Amino acid sequence: MKIETLIQQTTKSALRELYNFTAEVSEIQIQYTRKDQQGDITVVVFPFIKVSKKSPEKTAGEIGHFLMQKVNVVKSFNVIKGFLNLEIGQNYWIDCLARACSDENYGITAPDEKAETVMIEYSSPNTNKPLHLGHIRNNFLGFSISEILKANGKRVIKTNIVNDRGIHICKSMYAWLKWGNGKTPENSGLKGDHLVGRFYVEFDKHYKAEITELIEKGFSKEEAESKAPSILAARELLVKWEANDAETLNLWNTMNKWVYKGFDITYKKLGVDFDKIYYESETYLVGKEEVLRGVKEGIFHQKEDNSVWADLTEEGLDQKILLRSDGTSVYITQDIGTAKVRYNDYRIDKMVYVVGNEQIYHFQILAVLLDKLGFAWGKDLFHFSYGMVELPSGKMKSREGTVVDADDLIEGMVQVARDMSTELGKLESLSKEEAADTFRMIALGALKYYILKVDPRKNMMFNPEESIDFNGHTGTFIQYTYARIKSVLRKAGENNISVNKTADSISISPKEKDLLVRITLFPGIVEEAGDNYSPAIIANYCYDLVKEYNQFYHEHSILSEPDENQRNFRMALSETVAGIVKKGMNLLGIEMPERM
RNA sequence: GCCCCGGUAGCUCAGUUGGAUAGAGCAACUGCCUUCUAAGCAGUAGGUCAUGGGUUCGAAUCCCGUCCGGGGUACCA
C-alpha cells in the first residue's frame, strides 16, 4: 500500500477513536514535508480541531502518538502549529528504491482485458502548405499524450486526418495552373510541401491585389472578397473536383503526392507516427450523406439557395452551415463523416481531438451535431484544446509568410547542437554517425522539451534564441544528467562493481532522502499526467528529479565511496534515476543519448 | 455586443487542486574543474501573485466586480 494511503487510513481511525469522528479519507490532507522542516510526510490537522475541541498543537500531538503506535514505518514526529510532521523509517525508503530499481516498468501500467480504447487524432495538416511551428506543438502534444495514455493502461490508436480537399488546396492548384510554369519538386529542387506552399502564398498575393482593385472600383469589401477572379476560379475548381472532373482530380493527385512526400520527411524528423491515416477526400461524402439524411429527417433545414443549415439556438449556439449553396462541403461536414467512419472501423471508447483552442466552438458544434444525428458517442468526444504559439514578433500568419517553418527550425537546431558540442569538445570519441545521431537527439530533445514543458492549455511564447539554449531548465540538461549517470554506471561495470539492490546498514543523507522521495513520486506523476492530459507534468518532474540528482552527484562520490553497501546504494539510486528519466522523457517523445 | 481563456521576479515558466517564509530557468553579479562528464554545483540580487471586495482557522489557488491581453462568434480551415 502507498504510504500516503496508509497514513490517511490510520489517521481516519485515530479521528474515530480519539474524537469519535468519522472523516472521509479525502478530507485527510497528506503532503510531503517542506524541506526546511524535520520529517518526511505531513498530516494537516487544522480541519480536525473542530472535532477534537483542542488546540492544533495538542490535536496533532495526539494523532501523532496514535500513528506511531499503529504504523511501524512512522519512526517519530514533530508538531508545528497544525502541521504533524512524520519521520518515516529508512527501511521504507530503501524498500521503495529496491522496487523501483528492479521493476523495468516502474510507474508504467500495461493495458489489461478491460482497458479502454482511446483514439487520438492529431497533426491533421492541410495539404496546401508545409508544416510550421503551430503544427509542431500539435504533433508533439498529440504524440506525447498518446504515450502517456498508453503508460496509464489505455489502448491507443494514433490517427491523423489529412485535410486533402477543399478550397485551400484548390487555391494552390489554381495558382500553380496560372503561374506555375510547370514547376515540380524535381525541376525546382524544392521539397514538395514547400513548393505547393509557395503557390498558396502566390494565390493570396494576387487575391489581395484583386480585392484592393475591386474596392477602388467601388465594390464593398465583402463583395470584393467574394467576386475577385482568383477566388471564383478556385471555387470553380472545387466544384469541378466534387464533380469528379478528371483533369482537376489529376492535378489534385499530383500536387498532394508532392506534399505527402514532403510531410513524410518532416514527420520522420519530428519522430511522430500514426496507426491509421484518414483522408478527408475519403470521408467527406459520408459526412455529406449524413447531412442530407439529417435534412430528410427534419434535423437540419435547406434554404431556397440550397445551402443546408443546423439550427442550434436551442443548445445556446448559433445557426451553422453544413453545405454551401453550390452543394460543396465545409469543414464540419467532413468531420461528421470521419467520425462515423472511425466508429465503424474501430471499437472506440473515447475519441480525443488534439486541435488548437481557436476551434473550441467548432467541436462544441460537432458534438451536438453528432448527437442530433443519433450517434450515442457524439457528445462524449473530447476536444483537447491547446494554446497558440506566439513569436516575439507577434502572431504567425501562413498566408503572409511570417511562420516558423518546421524543417528550417529543426535544421537550425541540429546545426546549433553540432556547433555547441564541438565547441565544448564533446563527442570526440564517437564515430561520425553516432555523433550525428546525438546532435539530432539533442536538437530534437531541446525543441520538444521547450514546447512540452509548458502547460498545454496555455498560449506560449516561442523565443527562437531561448529554444536553442542547452543550459538550465532544458531537455539538454536532462539528457546530460542521464548521460552522466550512464557514464558512471559504465565505469562501475568496468570495475566490476555490481549494483546491489538490497543494501542495508547504510546511512542516508538529506540529499539522498530527497532523491528517494522524488523517486517514489513517479508513478503518481504518470497517473496525474494521464488524468490531466499534460506532458508538462512529466517534463517538470523529470527536471526536478535530475536537478536533485546533480546536487547529490556533486555532494557525494559514488565509485570512490569506500563502504561497499553505501556505494551500492548510490549506484542503485543512480541507476533508478536514469531509468525513470529515460521512461519519463520517452513519454515526451524525447530520446536519451548514452554519451554526450 | 455576446461567449470562452489567461494575467505570478526584467524575460520565459512552475506552484502537488485551500496549507507553513510563493519556486525554477534565462539575463546580471560572485565563487567552484589534479577527484565518477563544468551542457554541472553553490551563492547574491530580483515579488503589492493585474486590481478591489467576499468566503475561513488559512487564498496565488474558490466566488463576485473592475482593468488589461488573447481567442471565438464566416457559404475559411
Side-chain angles (χ1 to χ4, degrees):
Chain A
M1 191 191 299
K2 276 170 70 183
I3 185 85
E4 294 101 311
T5 320
L6 180 61
I7 288 171
Q8 271 180 325
Q9 287 180 354
T10 315
T11 304
K12 181 177 168 163
S13 315
L15 291 169
R16 197 180 316 107
E17 288 194 24
L18 296 170
Y19 313 123
N20 193 27
F21 173 71
T22 308
E24 292 295 322
V25 177
S26 59
E27 292 175 70
I28 300 167
Q29 289 181 58
I30 303 287
Q31 52 193 247
Y32 286 88
T33 308
R34 285 171 56 112
K35 283 195 180 152
D36 52 359
Q37 302 289 338
Q38 284 284 316
D40 301 315
I41 288 181
T42 296
V43 183
V44 183
V45 303
F46 287 110
F48 310 120
I49 54 177
K50 296 193 282 296
V51 296
S52 73
K53 302 195 176 68
K54 289 171 185 164
S55 69
E57 290 83 354
K58 193 104 193 279
T59 310
E62 288 176 351
I63 297 173
H65 277 293
F66 189 94
L67 288 173
M68 280 237 319
Q69 275 170 15
K70 303 281 167 154
V71 185
N72 58 18
V73 296
V74 175
K75 283 208 17 193
S76 68
F77 70 90
N78 67 79
V79 174
I80 292 169
K81 292 187 275 181
F83 299 98
L84 167 59
N85 301 320
L86 305 167
E87 192 196 333
I88 305 301
Q90 131 170 349
N91 285 347
Y92 172 79
W93 300 113
I94 304 265
D95 281 353
C96 289
L97 177 64
R99 268 201 304 278
C101 190
S102 60
D103 180 2
E104 263 187 42
N105 293 314
Y106 177 65
I108 307 293
T109 308
D112 57 20
E113 320 78 63
K114 50 187 204 307
E116 264 192 329
T117 297
V118 184
M119 179 176 266
I120 300 181
E121 174 196 298
Y122 72 100
S123 199
S124 310
N126 291 350
T127 57
N128 60 326
K129 54 177 188 254
L131 302 178
H132 59 67
L133 184 53
H135 297 110
I136 286 186
R137 190 176 195 194
N138 180 301
N139 280 280
F140 289 168
L141 281 172
F143 183 85
S144 178
I145 283 163
S146 301
E147 295 304 309
I148 289 168
L149 291 189
K150 279 188 210 167
N152 278 285
K154 313 281 189 208
R155 282 181 228 285
V156 172
I157 304 163
K158 287 179 275 189
T159 189
N160 185 358
I161 174 82
V162 179
N163 301 122
D164 62 345
R165 46 128 265 136
I167 190 71
H168 51 86
I169 181 71
C170 290
K171 288 177 181 176
S172 289
M173 285 158 61
Y174 171 73
W176 186 86
L177 284 170
K178 183 109 188 183
W179 305 290
N181 299 322
K183 268 202 191 110
T184 67
E186 289 75 26
N187 68 28
S188 69
L190 274 175
K191 207 161 154 271
D193 49 340
H194 288 261
L195 178 67
V196 172
R198 287 205 177 180
F199 288 108
Y200 187 67
V201 174
E202 187 77 14
F203 175 91
D204 203 60
K205 210 175 77 192
H206 286 89
Y207 180 39
K208 283 234 170 78
E210 290 166 7
I211 290 171
T212 315
E213 202 180 316
L214 287 175
I215 290 175
E216 276 166 9
K217 283 186 184 161
F219 287 85
S220 73
K221 186 167 177 267
E222 248 171 46
E223 269 178 318
E225 279 172 357
S226 59
K227 296 277 157 54
S230 292
I231 194 70
L232 291 177
R235 285 241 163 82
E236 197 189 325
L237 273 178
L238 182 61
V239 173
K240 276 186 175 173
W241 185 92
E242 290 210 15
N244 284 320
D245 174 66
E247 208 176 312
T248 308
L249 280 177
N250 196 27
L251 175 61
W252 171 78
N253 259 317
T254 304
M255 289 182 76
N256 270 342
K257 276 204 188 106
W258 294 344
V259 171
Y260 297 148
K261 217 168 160 190
F263 280 175
D264 282 347
I265 292 168
T266 308
Y267 282 141
K268 201 165 177 204
K269 280 195 276 189
L270 291 175
V272 302
D273 56 13
F274 307 94
D275 300 307
K276 171 76 182 173
I277 296 179
Y278 288 97
Y279 296 89
E280 184 178 325
S281 57
E282 293 169 0
T283 61
Y284 85 102
L285 284 176
V286 179
K288 216 166 163 176
E289 278 166 29
E290 287 302 315
V291 169
L292 293 174
R293 174 173 70 85
V295 173
K296 219 175 277 171
E297 293 177 11
I299 306 167
F300 308 134
H301 59 274
Q302 196 152 22
K303 289 191 181 169
E304 313 80 63
D305 67 358
N306 268 332
S307 57
V308 175
W309 296 77
D311 182 355
L312 307 175
T313 43
E314 270 182 40
E315 284 80 8
L317 305 166
D318 293 318
Q319 302 278 332
K320 177 71 190 172
I321 189 155
L322 303 176
L323 291 176
R324 295 190 186 97
S325 50
D326 62 8
T328 58
S329 305
V330 295
Y331 180 43
I332 202 149
T333 323
Q334 164 275 130
D335 259 331
I336 293 169
T338 308
K340 188 183 176 192
V341 172
R342 283 172 175 158
Y343 277 81
N344 282 344
D345 290 352
Y346 296 93
R347 197 191 58 82
I348 299 168
D349 296 303
K350 189 170 179 120
M351 184 67 216
V352 177
Y353 294 85
V354 179
V355 180
N357 63 9
E358 74 272 15
Q359 291 188 37
I360 289 176
Y361 187 65
H362 173 83
F363 282 99
Q364 268 176 16
I365 289 177
L366 180 63
V368 172
L369 291 179
L370 289 171
D371 192 45
K372 277 181 178 284
L373 284 165
F375 300 116
W377 35 265
K379 56 184 178 307
D380 296 328
L381 71 84
F382 176 58
H383 173 205
F384 174 82
S385 87
Y386 60 91
M388 353 189 309
V389 182
E390 287 156 17
L391 296 171
S393 54
K395 282 195 66 175
M396 289 188 285
K397 296 215 173 77
S398 56
R399 273 177 294 203
E400 291 166 21
T402 57
V403 295
V404 175
D405 177 74
D407 296 319
D408 293 349
L409 182 60
I410 294 168
E411 197 187 323
M413 296 212 47
V414 172
Q415 184 59 46
V416 176
R418 189 181 298 125
D419 293 347
M420 186 62 78
S421 296
T422 310
E423 192 184 309
L424 291 171
K426 307 262 180 183
L427 304 181
E428 280 159 359
S429 62
L430 296 186
S431 73
K432 235 179 157 180
E433 291 75 23
E434 285 172 320
D437 200 40
T438 308
F439 300 145
R440 184 190 59 77
M441 280 190 216
I442 293 170
L444 264 294
L447 182 59
K448 287 186 184 183
Y449 193 86
Y450 183 82
I451 287 174
L452 291 176
K453 75 173 173 182
V454 330
D455 185 338
R457 286 174 291 266
K458 292 188 183 170
N459 288 356
M460 67 169 289
M461 175 62 65
F462 185 90
N463 184 327
E465 279 163 34
E466 265 179 36
S467 71
I468 52 174
D469 199 347
F470 296 143
N471 298 310
H473 189 181
T474 62
T476 314
F477 170 60
I478 299 172
Q479 289 173 323
Y480 170 77
T481 308
Y482 176 81
R484 198 181 217 189
I485 296 174
K486 283 299 181 176
S487 170
V488 172
L489 294 175
R490 268 194 306 273
K491 293 214 159 97
E494 284 156 18
N495 295 327
N496 246 343
I497 298 172
S498 67
V499 177
N500 184 346
K501 279 139 196 168
T502 56
D504 53 3
S505 73
I506 52 167
S507 71
I508 300 180
S509 71
K511 197 38 81 185
E512 288 168 328
K513 171 67 83 55
D514 291 344
L515 259 184
L516 285 168
V517 172
R518 191 76 68 178
I519 285 168
T520 65
L521 259 33
F522 183 58
I525 291 290
V526 174
E527 202 181 320
E528 195 188 336
D531 291 345
N532 293 292
Y533 293 82
S534 177
I537 291 173
I538 304 272
N540 286 303
Y541 169 82
C542 287
Y543 173 72
D544 292 338
L545 179 66
V546 300
K547 178 99 190 140
E548 208 112 60
Y549 182 84
N550 276 319
Q551 292 163 356
F552 155 80
Y553 179 90
H554 192 257
E555 283 175 26
H556 303 80
S557 52
I558 302 167
L559 299 179
S560 51
E561 163 60 43
D563 182 272
E564 195 188 347
N565 284 333
Q566 199 74 31
R567 185 171 64 241
N568 284 334
F569 166 65
R570 289 182 188 157
M571 299 273 300
L573 260 185
S574 302
E575 193 180 64
T576 307
V577 169
I580 289 176
V581 156
K582 183 166 190 170
K583 268 180 284 192
M585 292 293 270
N586 284 347
L587 294 180
L588 305 180
I590 297 175
E591 297 170 75
M592 301 297 266
E594 299 296 306
R595 300 164 204 264
M596 65 183 275

